[in-house]
Amino acid sequence: MSVASVDLTQNDSVKSVDFDDSFDFSKLLDKPRHLNMERQRSLDERSLVDASPRHPSSAENGRHMDFENVFSPSKRSSFNSSSAQYALEPHPVFVEAWESLRKTMVYFRGQPVGTIAALDNSDEKLNYDQVFVRDFVPSALAFLMNGEPEIVKNFILKTLRLQSWEKKIDRFQLGEGVMPASFKVLHDPVRNTETIMADFGESAIGRVAPVDSGFWWIVLLRAYTKSTGDTSLAEMPECQKGMRLILALCLSEGFDTFPTLLCADGCSMIDRRMGVYGYPIEIQALFFMALRCALVLLKQDAQGKELVDRIVKRLHALSFHMRSYFWLDLKQLNDIYRFKTEEYSHTAVNKFNVMPDSLPEWVFDFMPTYGGYFLGNVGPSNMDFRWFCLGNCIAILSSLATPEQSMAIMDLIESRWEELVGDMPVKVCYPAIESHDWRIITGCDPKNTRWSYHNGGSWPVLLWLLTAACIKVGRPQIARRAIEVAELRLAKDGWPEYYDGKSGRYIGKQARKHQTWSIAGYLVAKMMLEDPSHLGMISLEEDKQMKPTIKRSSSWSF
Ligand code: GLC
């Protein structure tokens, strides 16, 4: 067992983390990155490398999987409700899930363009009758894995068109690059016309623009390109421009002292006030992943070149910052516990002036001897010790986490199985905030009471992220166990959006039924376990040139 140990005790001028020097994103610039059909193979080859587990212990334990021999960019065994050709006899829940997913498809002028958030007719719809960008990601992956890329391509193009809309909240105009949170197809039966209505945050509860939408869009564009080998979509000038606009929003210079992205509360999957404003891990990990995907997809023409340089610099700084200051393991926790405060100047050990008294009680028990995770948030005098599922899984998939850190995250999940998986995978965050904290942090939000919804609720959609992360680190058996737990109830319960309770035993108080991403998340998890080569679509290997030298904790054996 090996864990990256990061030393916060040195100042900036003396390099505090060994891997900084060797983490060389600029090497990426050396690679020709023009996209054309002839080069399709090389893109696939890159994905093969991306998908292979590298941790020696995986191979040693006989967990190594040979991704290289199973990948084919063309159609694989396809599953469709009428003519099932799936390799193995599919689980009945799997069959039902595919049938349900097909029912959620949304059409615009005869073309499939996305999937509706929930097909639940029993409740007030709110905006669950819309196509959400983030919700469509697992649907898109399921379709890609099943050799049905058309809906994904249409979705990418449709949302790209929406990006160019003028977006206003009251009298304030949003940035050009903002992608919508969701859109809806409106049918006019009288005139027999169809139009699209999009929400960039101006109708959303809390009026927050979705920072994650643009990142997911780029990630999806790469997944499409990787899966189909069709580079022409990403090469389109419109797509190149769309990417540039998204990146311009988050690479712009300002007053920032950190390479992380400053965010408002509610700007991601957790789309209401939950105390994640600042530098939430969910966004930082997605930001890192989107930057890496953009690096593969951007043409290095006159406009692209300068942007690529900026991306490389930002990736370099971001990975250093995240791996240094967001990483928590037993040693790091102990160091923080002993921090001095009020240190001035660049020699400060406790750079962000975190008060040891702000350490929550639960974290001392939660932290296993072996294991670790990326903190929820780090900023001035602020460390959010909560564990967030999406951010940690994306950190693994994007290789923001070093191989050792990825292993440690998995060790933590195994050690804290009851807390994080329990009776329904997976907790969106852990633990819940209660009482006075809940009042202050959520603004008394009745939907986010303790162990419910975003406040420690269990979200089946996260199963696909957990599965992908498990496969990447060569520990698919963890995912298999989680899927078995989910399979016991998901279909029977009508595919709820989320579950409540400390171990996720109860269908969520206000959970929608037939929530599409619960269905698609399960499908993607199943298909990825069956054919791990699918992982290449959504996973990025650590660049060999960027291999960090990691200081290891001397107290642990390796
Ligand atoms: C809720 C979730 C959000 C999701 C939306 C549609 O608002 O918090 O993450 O995108 O529902 O399912």
Side-chain angles (χ1 to χ4, degrees):
M1 161 63 230
S2 56
V3 172
S5 158
V6 175
D7 188 359
L8 289 184
T9 59
Q10 299 170 40
N11 66 46
D12 273 328
S13 52
V14 182
K15 288 276 181 294
S16 59
V17 183
D18 297 354
F19 52 69
D20 184 34
D21 289 331
S22 54
F23 202 74
D24 188 4
F25 283 100
S26 59
K27 292 281 194 298
L28 289 165
L29 291 174
D30 300 339
K31 292 184 189 163
R33 235 185 329 278
H34 55 274
L35 300 165
N36 57 40
M37 286 308 278
E38 286 77 58
R39 295 300 311 278
Q40 170 195 325
R41 203 54 226 165
S42 74
L43 195 69
D44 297 334
E45 274 149 19
R46 240 179 290 162
S47 80
L48 294 178
V49 177
D50 291 353
S52 52
R54 307 126 287 128
H55 199 276
S57 65
S58 331
E60 278 159 26
N61 296 347
R63 296 186 294 222
H64 179 83
M65 275 182 268
D66 185 2
F67 295 99
E68 314 215 2
N69 294 326
V70 282
F71 184 80
S72 139
S74 58
K75 286 197 180 192
R76 297 179 186 80
S77 52
S78 62
F79 185 86
N80 122 8
S81 48
S82 51
S83 62
Q85 299 174 336
Y86 222 64
L88 300 173
E89 186 61 29
H91 193 288
V93 174
F94 183 82
V95 178
E96 187 195 312
W98 261 114
E99 280 166 8
S100 305
L101 181 63
R102 292 197 186 284
K103 288 187 197 142
T104 69
M105 286 164 77
V106 171
Y107 292 81
F108 180 66
R109 299 180 184 162
Q111 303 275 321
V113 288
T115 50
I116 197 171
L119 258 186
D120 186 347
N121 299 321
S122 63
D123 220 320
E124 194 199 348
K125 281 194 174 56
L126 291 175
N127 50 359
Y128 284 86
D129 59 352
Q130 304 202 10
V131 179
F132 277 74
V133 171
R134 71 175 73 87
D135 292 43
F136 181 65
V137 173
S139 297
L141 295 175
F143 287 119
L144 288 175
M145 288 174 187
N146 203 40
E148 299 176 67
E150 190 203 351
I151 185 172
V152 183
K153 183 175 182 176
N154 293 340
F155 171 88
I156 288 170
L157 289 172
K158 191 47 66 198
T159 42
L160 186 64
R161 293 289 290 276
L162 299 177
Q163 186 196 34
S164 63
W165 282 13
E166 187 181 275
K167 299 144 245 188
K168 268 192 175 169
I169 296 195
D170 292 332
R171 293 171 193 185
F172 183 67
Q173 193 163 327
L174 292 186
E176 231 188 316
V178 177
M179 279 283 182
S182 59
F183 68 86
K184 186 176 174 169
V185 177
L186 300 167
H187 303 263
D188 182 338
V190 181
R191 286 196 243 151
N192 198 23
T193 53
E194 284 182 337
T195 44
I196 285 196
M197 182 215 91
D199 178 11
F200 295 86
E202 74 274 30
S203 310
I205 297 169
R207 299 287 186 268
V208 184
V211 176
D212 64 339
S213 284
F215 295 154
W216 279 124
W217 187 87
I218 294 176
V219 170
L220 204 52
L221 182 58
R222 174 183 170 271
Y224 170 88
T225 310
K226 203 82 167 241
S227 154
T228 59
D230 170 17
T231 56
S232 64
L233 180 66
E235 280 187 316
M236 280 170 59
E238 296 86 343
C239 276
Q240 293 283 318
K241 184 175 175 207
M243 265 188 288
R244 283 199 303 271
L245 288 176
I246 294 168
L247 296 168
L249 278 178
C250 48
L251 294 174
S252 61
E253 288 170 0
F255 289 97
D256 304 291
T257 45
F258 309 133
T260 34
L261 200 61
L262 186 60
C263 299
D265 224 334
C267 66
S268 66
M269 172 187 178
I270 298 177
D271 56 1
R272 41 211 291 153
R273 196 172 151 198
M274 265 300 295
V276 295
Y277 59 89
Y279 305 93
I281 181 66
E282 310 280 88
I283 290 294
Q284 311 313 321
L286 264 177
F287 180 30
F288 183 86
M289 179 126 178
L291 288 180
R292 289 205 61 196
C293 290
L295 215 45
V296 180
L297 299 170
L298 276 174
K299 285 195 201 175
Q300 285 213 51
D301 51 17
Q303 286 163 302
K305 177 82 180 75
E306 195 241 356
L307 194 54
V308 164
D309 289 345
R310 284 166 69 197
I311 293 175
V312 167
K313 281 193 191 135
R314 190 62 171 259
L315 279 170
H316 186 89
L318 187 59
S319 61
F320 173 77
H321 184 93
M322 297 299 296
R323 291 171 174 191
S324 308
Y325 307 126
F326 273 66
W327 182 252
L328 192 76
D329 57 20
L330 191 63
K331 180 185 178 300
Q332 185 64 19
L333 179 59
N334 208 154
D335 288 349
I336 299 169
Y337 175 66
R338 290 163 52 81
F339 265 170
K340 291 190 179 57
T341 59
E342 310 296 332
E343 297 170 293
Y344 181 77
S345 97
H346 63 272
T347 56
V349 174
N350 179 2
K351 289 181 187 167
F352 307 119
N353 201 30
V354 173
M355 311 293 161
D357 274 355
S358 71
L359 278 162
E361 289 258 327
W362 62 264
V363 76
F364 295 102
D365 293 331
F366 181 67
M367 181 59 73
T369 308
Y370 302 113
Y373 63 103
F374 285 99
L375 289 167
N377 212 314
V378 177
S381 289
N382 176 30
M383 271 191 185
D384 182 346
F385 288 88
R386 280 175 294 174
W387 175 89
F388 287 82
C389 179
L390 186 145
N392 275 280
C393 289
I394 295 281
I396 292 175
L397 293 174
S398 63
S399 289
L400 170 61
T402 64
E404 288 81 1
Q405 286 173 333
S406 300
M407 271 293 168
I409 293 170
M410 283 300 151
D411 288 338
L412 177 114
I413 292 172
E414 270 196 319
S415 310
R416 297 291 170 251
W417 189 259
E418 282 314 308
E419 289 87 340
L420 303 179
V421 175
D423 292 309
M424 183 52 69
V426 186
K427 281 261 171 280
V428 66
C429 67
Y430 180 91
I433 41 180
E434 312 188 34
S435 317
H436 185 63
D437 284 347
W438 166 78
R439 260 178 231 114
I440 304 293
I441 291 171
T442 73
C444 299
D445 186 346
K447 210 171 168 183
N448 272 334
T449 50
R450 63 179 185 167
W451 306 114
S452 182
Y453 200 41
H454 302 135
N455 187 7
S458 304
W459 291 66
V461 61
L462 297 170
L463 200 53
W464 81 264
L465 279 163
L466 177 70
T467 302
C470 289
I471 296 173
K472 173 134 188 217
V473 300
R475 290 162 76 170
Q477 71 282 7
I478 299 180
R480 197 162 289 124
R481 217 175 129 197
I483 292 172
E484 275 165 18
V485 172
E487 235 158 24
L488 291 176
R489 297 185 54 193
L490 261 185
K492 232 174 15 197
D493 291 345
W495 306 99
E497 180 186 15
Y498 64 94
Y499 285 77
D500 284 359
K502 237 178 176 167
S503 65
R505 279 174 65 203
Y506 301 94
I507 297 173
K509 211 173 7 184
Q510 294 185 43
R512 292 292 181 287
K513 294 283 188 76
H514 299 279
Q515 181 80 20
T516 304
W517 68 359
S518 298
I519 298 167
Y522 163 79
L523 282 174
V524 172
K526 286 288 271 192
M527 285 192 279
M528 238 176 335
L529 256 193
E530 163 142 337
D531 180 356
S533 71
H534 288 311
L535 180 68
M537 275 184 220
I538 201 71
S539 164
L540 291 150
E541 186 62 8
E542 188 166 45
D543 195 288
K544 299 289 175 282
Q545 321 287 343
M546 319 183 299
K547 195 125 191 80
T549 316
I550 288 158
K551 224 185 262 174
R552 289 157 198 274
S553 168
S554 53
S555 56
W556 296 343
S557 56
F558 299 99

